[in-house]
Amino acid sequence: GLVGPAGGRRGGIARARRERMRSAGALLALAIAAGASAGAAGDADAAHIILEKAIVESSAVQGMNMTVALTAYNTGAGAAAQVSISDTTWSPDAFEFVEGQPAATVDSIASGASFTHTFVLKPKLVGALETAAATVSYTPYPDGEVQSGVSTIISGLVVISPLELRVNQAVEFGKYASLGYCQTVRDWLTVFVAVVAITSLFFVNAAVSAGRAASQRRKREAALKELQG
């Protein structure tokens, strides 16, 4: 569920990318551990299921659809039968179910193959996102005992507000519009202050120049009147 407000949510997109990298690393570690376990047990023809839990979108936004993907990878040598995955970690107080179910079962996953199940939620609150692992159970070989395990977890993600999403999108566009100079909101504020300062100096200089020109014109007119008089 949500564990409170996040300070500094502007980096939601970057954090989501880093989370994907961490998830991939955790998935690799689980696969290596599963392979080592298989070798130790001597189950050369057994299936080994690794479950990955991830958010499809680059950022989670309050009131907008968020897709959860559960992917079961069979890293073993044999086919896995009756693979069941379940993810009941989403609190109804913090998330609204929009589409799909948080559980699914597939008859078989061949060696080296995978199965992905998705469902859609809508975050209700803004803040840091922490969820527990999903679960998986399967039969590793014909007439074998049912095995169970848990998925990777989602950490480091933040549910941002729609306004923050627009700000992030504007900053992302600004990176290209400014040829990479403006990377953050603070960069744009710095540029804005500089532009305002330069513009103010321009108008002040123009006003001073106009005042001097008007003063000189009045002096010339007065001098002409004296000559004509």
Side-chain angles (χ1 to χ4, degrees), residues 61-80:
V61 184
Q62 180 188 31
M64 295 188 181
N65 288 352
M66 181 185 77
T67 306
V68 180
L70 302 175
T71 302
Y73 299 90
N74 184 357
T75 63

Side-chain angles (χ1 to χ4, degrees), residues 16-67:
R17 290 170 180 166
R18 291 195 296 272
E19 166 58 25
R20 287 198 186 94
M21 294 178 66
R22 285 195 295 268
S23 179
L27 196 64
L28 178 60
L30 287 173
I32 293 173
S37 175
D43 297 334
D45 296 328
H48 293 279
I49 296 296
I50 304 298
L51 184 62
E52 179 189 29
K53 176 177 177 177
I55 301 298
V56 174
E57 290 78 10
S58 59
S59 57
V61 184
Q62 180 188 31
M64 295 188 181
N65 288 352
M66 181 185 77
T67 306

Side-chain angles (χ1 to χ4, degrees), residues 114-132:
S114 65
F115 166 73
T116 298
H117 173 69
T118 62
F119 55 95
V120 181
L121 304 172
K122 188 175 292 185
K124 297 179 180 179
L125 306 174
V126 173
L129 176 65
E130 294 291 344
T131 66

Side-chain angles (χ1 to χ4, degrees), residues 119-201:
F119 55 95
V120 181
L121 304 172
K122 188 175 292 185
K124 297 179 180 179
L125 306 174
V126 173
L129 176 65
E130 294 291 344
T131 66
T135 60
V136 58
S137 64
Y138 62 98
T139 302
Y141 47 81
D143 300 323
E145 294 184 0
V146 174
Q147 303 293 312
S148 61
V150 295
S151 71
T152 57
I153 62 173
I154 299 171
S155 62
L157 286 181
V158 172
V159 177
I160 63 175
S161 69
L163 175 60
E164 288 170 313
L165 174 65
R166 289 192 289 272
V167 170
N168 288 339
Q169 291 172 336
V171 169
E172 193 70 18
F173 173 77
K175 291 179 183 179
Y176 299 97
S178 64
L179 301 180
Y181 177 77
C182 294
Q183 299 285 332
T184 65
V185 173
R186 177 170 293 183
D187 291 340
W188 279 105
L189 288 174
T190 301
V191 171
F192 175 77
V193 170
V195 170
V196 169
I198 293 171
T199 303
S200 299
L201 288 174

